[in-house]
Amino acid sequence: MTGLRFTKDHEYLRLDGDAAVVGITDYAQEQLGDIVFVDLPKVGKKVTKGSELAVIESVKAASEVYAPISGEVVEVNAALGEKPALVNEDPMQGGWLVKLKVDAPGEVEGLMDADAYASFVKTL
Amino acid sequence: MTAEPNLQTAPLAHLPLDALHRSLGARMAPFAGYDMPVQYASGIVSETLHTRQKAGLFDVSHMGQAILAGAGAAAALESLVPADLVGLAPGHTRYTQLLNDKGGILDDLMATRLPGVEERLLLVVNAARKAQDYAFIRERLPQFDLLPLNRALIALQGPRAAAVLGALLPGVEDLSFMDWRAFEEGPTSVFVSRSGYTGEDGFEISIRSENAETFVKALLDNEDVQPAGLGARDALRLEAGLPLYGHDLDETIDPVEAGLAWSIGKRRRAEGGFPGFARISAALRDGPARRRVGLLPQSKAPVREGAMLVSTSGELAGHVTSGGFSPTLQRAIAMGYVASKHANKGAQVVSELRGNRVALDVAPLPFVSHRYFKPTA
């Protein structure tokens, strides 16, 4: 898949031009366990790379999700309101979190590609 | 997201069933100095629901088991706890609290009067407190022997627990809630108490560590039994409104404000003779200044431990001591302490969650009804 990048904090970003879909990886959802609530940002919120983007509540605890890239939130995954477990079931597709209008696509440099992320996860 | 930092530095103790947990796919994490199974592959929600529907198997071997032996042991231990232990018949278990001199709770524990000629009490205490508990009891009761047991402790909890355990240990079905009996299993004794901390019918089974794996595998061979970890145990006890030491109970909280007045014996209320009697007696008579209550957040997001609570008019009302998601009720639930004027059903308090105002309805406990086995005959 082109344009797919990963952070060491287990967010993914699927870049398509100046738009990006952001979510958490399969490894991350597995680590969190049963997800019971996702606190999503408001559309229009501006985030900088590394700032808090969303909060995922599992049965056990709340975990922050950080923006893998700077931009403006243009859409959030409303389906998670009724069914937060979508993040567990299908984190890379139906369980995406937000769509961002990217400020600086160059910021993807330094994020891992799929192979690098897979290697990184094996070290954990 | 970030992984939780692992701040554990001391070497972790391992449970007798450590290898079995790993072979069952457990996710292990440090808890009270032990490497403990937090959840298995099916996850906390599934393990919680399975326990409520059939039977969940929990390894609670990290908890402390010890025998207090000697003539007059029950009367002596009454100088440290508010339960009636002198009136406890052999083969029965009672829940009580070890108190400091101000009536604050040092730990909560189960005390069983063992059958036999010699006077002996079997104590089961919390893992994180056992070293302090043992030191405290030895200091206060130096004339008695306190002998820690090196046995595994397994909790089998849920509506199918009696049938499952009864197939291995015929006769356990005859025990009532808080009865205790020793069963011969092969060359060893298995101690069984019809008790637990999930709100379900069930058993706590104490077995020699070297015999534990064979016994547990036999339980797991029953299709009604699934292993369940600390995560499910915490969800179940919160649903059942049961306080957890270090969260809902600590050294500043007395048994009355904790909602545990039911565990204070009638004779003890009259006679006293336990630490903090003046404070506890006044709280029993006049009502405590604050109370442990159930809280139903009017939000989908859980309100967690440590959240401050204010009244609808904005004055400080209390705080949350346990908060999470109830798999059984499919909603956020919590417990906490509030000033008594806010403690009645129907009262509402307010918390702040990530900058948003969340209303919480004060609710009766438990959230999920207890199903302890008490024959009606």
Side-chain angles (χ1 to χ4, degrees), chain B residues 100 103-106 129 244-254 290 319 337:
Chain B
N100 64 25
I105 301 172
L106 292 169
R129 303 296 287 181
L244 183 62
Y245 199 86
H247 300 265
D248 314 290
L249 305 176
D250 65 39
E251 293 183 25
T252 70
I253 295 168
D254 72 50
R290 58 179 178 174
H319 66 286
Y337 284 85

mmCIF file of all heavy atoms in Angstrom, chain B residues 100 103-106 129 244-254 290 319 337:
data_model
loop_
_atom_site.group_PDB
_atom_site.id
_atom_site.type_symbol
_atom_site.label_atom_id
_atom_site.label_comp_id
_atom_site.label_asym_id
_atom_site.label_seq_id
_atom_site.Cartn_x
_atom_site.Cartn_y
_atom_site.Cartn_z
ATOM 1 N N ASN B 100 -6.028 0.011 62.082
ATOM 2 C CA ASN B 100 -5.012 0.733 62.851
ATOM 3 C C ASN B 100 -5.687 1.390 64.068
ATOM 4 O O ASN B 100 -6.905 1.311 64.232
ATOM 5 C CB ASN B 100 -4.248 1.734 61.978
ATOM 6 C CG ASN B 100 -5.127 2.860 61.434
ATOM 7 O OD1 ASN B 100 -6.155 3.188 62.019
ATOM 8 N ND2 ASN B 100 -4.719 3.445 60.314
ATOM 9 N N GLY B 103 -8.805 3.335 63.681
ATOM 10 C CA GLY B 103 -9.955 2.702 63.035
ATOM 11 C C GLY B 103 -9.862 2.676 61.530
ATOM 12 O O GLY B 103 -10.802 2.259 60.846
ATOM 13 N N GLY B 104 -8.713 3.121 60.980
ATOM 14 C CA GLY B 104 -8.496 3.042 59.531
ATOM 15 C C GLY B 104 -8.133 1.621 59.132
ATOM 16 O O GLY B 104 -7.618 0.843 59.943
ATOM 17 N N ILE B 105 -8.398 1.295 57.886
ATOM 18 C CA ILE B 105 -8.254 -0.093 57.436
ATOM 19 C C ILE B 105 -6.828 -0.352 56.932
ATOM 20 O O ILE B 105 -6.380 0.258 55.966
ATOM 21 C CB ILE B 105 -9.292 -0.407 56.336
ATOM 22 C CG1 ILE B 105 -10.709 -0.188 56.878
ATOM 23 C CG2 ILE B 105 -9.120 -1.840 55.836
ATOM 24 C CD1 ILE B 105 -11.803 -0.295 55.820
ATOM 25 N N LEU B 106 -6.124 -1.265 57.633
ATOM 26 C CA LEU B 106 -4.771 -1.663 57.213
ATOM 27 C C LEU B 106 -4.833 -2.700 56.097
ATOM 28 O O LEU B 106 -3.932 -2.803 55.276
ATOM 29 C CB LEU B 106 -4.004 -2.244 58.398
ATOM 30 C CG LEU B 106 -3.648 -1.257 59.504
ATOM 31 C CD1 LEU B 106 -3.144 -2.006 60.732
ATOM 32 C CD2 LEU B 106 -2.594 -0.277 59.014
ATOM 33 N N ARG B 129 -0.235 -6.299 50.770
ATOM 34 C CA ARG B 129 -0.228 -5.951 52.185
ATOM 35 C C ARG B 129 0.303 -7.055 53.072
ATOM 36 O O ARG B 129 0.429 -6.860 54.284
ATOM 37 C CB ARG B 129 -1.669 -5.609 52.634
ATOM 38 C CG ARG B 129 -2.314 -4.496 51.850
ATOM 39 C CD ARG B 129 -1.616 -3.177 52.028
ATOM 40 N NE ARG B 129 -1.845 -2.594 53.335
ATOM 41 C CZ ARG B 129 -1.350 -1.436 53.730
ATOM 42 N NH1 ARG B 129 -0.583 -0.741 52.917
ATOM 43 N NH2 ARG B 129 -1.591 -0.971 54.933
ATOM 44 N N LEU B 244 -11.744 -2.660 46.758
ATOM 45 C CA LEU B 244 -10.414 -3.235 46.557
ATOM 46 C C LEU B 244 -9.406 -2.433 47.372
ATOM 47 O O LEU B 244 -9.351 -1.205 47.260
ATOM 48 C CB LEU B 244 -10.054 -3.191 45.075
ATOM 49 C CG LEU B 244 -8.721 -3.824 44.678
ATOM 50 C CD1 LEU B 244 -8.701 -5.315 44.991
ATOM 51 C CD2 LEU B 244 -8.440 -3.604 43.201
ATOM 52 N N TYR B 245 -8.601 -3.152 48.161
ATOM 53 C CA TYR B 245 -7.635 -2.464 48.994
ATOM 54 C C TYR B 245 -6.640 -1.685 48.143
ATOM 55 O O TYR B 245 -6.182 -2.136 47.105
ATOM 56 C CB TYR B 245 -6.871 -3.421 49.941
ATOM 57 C CG TYR B 245 -6.276 -2.600 51.044
ATOM 58 C CD1 TYR B 245 -7.025 -2.297 52.169
ATOM 59 C CD2 TYR B 245 -5.031 -1.998 50.907
ATOM 60 C CE1 TYR B 245 -6.543 -1.454 53.146
ATOM 61 C CE2 TYR B 245 -4.530 -1.146 51.872
ATOM 62 C CZ TYR B 245 -5.298 -0.875 52.993
ATOM 63 O OH TYR B 245 -4.832 -0.018 53.939
ATOM 64 N N GLY B 246 -6.292 -0.482 48.619
ATOM 65 C CA GLY B 246 -5.365 0.376 47.874
ATOM 66 C C GLY B 246 -6.096 1.270 46.889
ATOM 67 O O GLY B 246 -5.503 2.185 46.315
ATOM 68 N N HIS B 247 -7.355 0.986 46.660
ATOM 69 C CA HIS B 247 -8.186 1.802 45.768
ATOM 70 C C HIS B 247 -9.377 2.345 46.571
ATOM 71 O O HIS B 247 -9.463 3.521 46.842
ATOM 72 C CB HIS B 247 -8.640 0.977 44.564
ATOM 73 C CG HIS B 247 -7.476 0.457 43.772
ATOM 74 N ND1 HIS B 247 -6.984 1.099 42.672
ATOM 75 C CD2 HIS B 247 -6.671 -0.610 43.962
ATOM 76 C CE1 HIS B 247 -5.932 0.441 42.212
ATOM 77 N NE2 HIS B 247 -5.725 -0.607 42.971
ATOM 78 N N ASP B 248 -10.272 1.446 46.973
ATOM 79 C CA ASP B 248 -11.478 1.862 47.694
ATOM 80 C C ASP B 248 -11.295 1.809 49.211
ATOM 81 O O ASP B 248 -12.147 2.287 49.955
ATOM 82 C CB ASP B 248 -12.652 0.961 47.293
ATOM 83 C CG ASP B 248 -12.704 0.782 45.794
ATOM 84 O OD1 ASP B 248 -13.032 1.763 45.109
ATOM 85 O OD2 ASP B 248 -12.367 -0.306 45.305
ATOM 86 N N LEU B 249 -10.230 1.185 49.653
ATOM 87 C CA LEU B 249 -9.932 1.082 51.081
ATOM 88 C C LEU B 249 -8.488 1.494 51.310
ATOM 89 O O LEU B 249 -7.613 1.128 50.528
ATOM 90 C CB LEU B 249 -10.099 -0.370 51.577
ATOM 91 C CG LEU B 249 -11.440 -1.048 51.329
ATOM 92 C CD1 LEU B 249 -11.360 -2.506 51.807
ATOM 93 C CD2 LEU B 249 -12.567 -0.328 52.038
ATOM 94 N N ASP B 250 -8.257 2.235 52.393
ATOM 95 C CA ASP B 250 -6.885 2.530 52.798
ATOM 96 C C ASP B 250 -6.869 2.883 54.282
ATOM 97 O O ASP B 250 -7.900 2.805 54.958
ATOM 98 C CB ASP B 250 -6.257 3.631 51.926
ATOM 99 C CG ASP B 250 -6.948 4.983 52.081
ATOM 100 O OD1 ASP B 250 -7.347 5.353 53.217
ATOM 101 O OD2 ASP B 250 -7.095 5.690 51.064
ATOM 102 N N GLU B 251 -5.702 3.288 54.768
ATOM 103 C CA GLU B 251 -5.529 3.467 56.207
ATOM 104 C C GLU B 251 -6.291 4.662 56.766
ATOM 105 O O GLU B 251 -6.384 4.820 57.984
ATOM 106 C CB GLU B 251 -4.031 3.604 56.536
ATOM 107 C CG GLU B 251 -3.265 2.326 56.265
ATOM 108 C CD GLU B 251 -1.802 2.413 56.649
ATOM 109 O OE1 GLU B 251 -1.456 3.234 57.527
ATOM 110 O OE2 GLU B 251 -1.006 1.656 56.077
ATOM 111 N N THR B 252 -6.828 5.515 55.902
ATOM 112 C CA THR B 252 -7.594 6.669 56.394
ATOM 113 C C THR B 252 -9.091 6.378 56.458
ATOM 114 O O THR B 252 -9.856 7.184 56.992
ATOM 115 C CB THR B 252 -7.400 7.902 55.479
ATOM 116 O OG1 THR B 252 -8.068 7.659 54.223
ATOM 117 C CG2 THR B 252 -5.928 8.184 55.220
ATOM 118 N N ILE B 253 -9.503 5.259 55.883
ATOM 119 C CA ILE B 253 -10.938 4.972 55.741
ATOM 120 C C ILE B 253 -11.355 3.950 56.782
ATOM 121 O O ILE B 253 -10.674 2.934 56.970
ATOM 122 C CB ILE B 253 -11.209 4.429 54.316
ATOM 123 C CG1 ILE B 253 -10.898 5.512 53.281
ATOM 124 C CG2 ILE B 253 -12.639 3.931 54.181
ATOM 125 C CD1 ILE B 253 -10.847 5.000 51.850
ATOM 126 N N ASP B 254 -12.472 4.219 57.471
ATOM 127 C CA ASP B 254 -12.942 3.240 58.456
ATOM 128 C C ASP B 254 -14.025 2.355 57.826
ATOM 129 O O ASP B 254 -14.570 2.685 56.773
ATOM 130 C CB ASP B 254 -13.408 3.932 59.743
ATOM 131 C CG ASP B 254 -14.728 4.676 59.603
ATOM 132 O OD1 ASP B 254 -15.706 4.087 59.093
ATOM 133 O OD2 ASP B 254 -14.793 5.852 60.009
ATOM 134 N N ARG B 290 -18.628 10.708 55.349
ATOM 135 C CA ARG B 290 -18.586 10.392 53.910
ATOM 136 C C ARG B 290 -18.920 8.917 53.743
ATOM 137 O O ARG B 290 -18.803 8.133 54.684
ATOM 138 C CB ARG B 290 -17.196 10.684 53.335
ATOM 139 C CG ARG B 290 -16.097 9.910 54.024
ATOM 140 C CD ARG B 290 -14.707 10.176 53.446
ATOM 141 N NE ARG B 290 -13.714 9.407 54.208
ATOM 142 C CZ ARG B 290 -12.440 9.312 53.921
ATOM 143 N NH1 ARG B 290 -11.962 9.950 52.858
ATOM 144 N NH2 ARG B 290 -11.604 8.589 54.644
ATOM 145 N N HIS B 319 -14.473 11.937 45.644
ATOM 146 C CA HIS B 319 -13.612 11.493 44.549
ATOM 147 C C HIS B 319 -13.907 10.041 44.190
ATOM 148 O O HIS B 319 -14.486 9.287 44.978
ATOM 149 C CB HIS B 319 -12.142 11.677 44.925
ATOM 150 C CG HIS B 319 -11.687 10.805 46.051
ATOM 151 N ND1 HIS B 319 -12.034 11.032 47.362
ATOM 152 C CD2 HIS B 319 -10.911 9.696 46.070
ATOM 153 C CE1 HIS B 319 -11.493 10.105 48.136
ATOM 154 N NE2 HIS B 319 -10.807 9.278 47.377
ATOM 155 N N TYR B 337 -16.020 7.918 47.099
ATOM 156 C CA TYR B 337 -16.495 8.456 48.372
ATOM 157 C C TYR B 337 -17.095 9.834 48.133
ATOM 158 O O TYR B 337 -16.495 10.662 47.424
ATOM 159 C CB TYR B 337 -15.344 8.548 49.371
ATOM 160 C CG TYR B 337 -14.994 7.186 49.911
ATOM 161 C CD1 TYR B 337 -14.120 6.354 49.227
ATOM 162 C CD2 TYR B 337 -15.593 6.718 51.073
ATOM 163 C CE1 TYR B 337 -13.827 5.081 49.703
ATOM 164 C CE2 TYR B 337 -15.308 5.451 51.554
ATOM 165 C CZ TYR B 337 -14.426 4.639 50.867
ATOM 166 O OH TYR B 337 -14.155 3.383 51.339
#
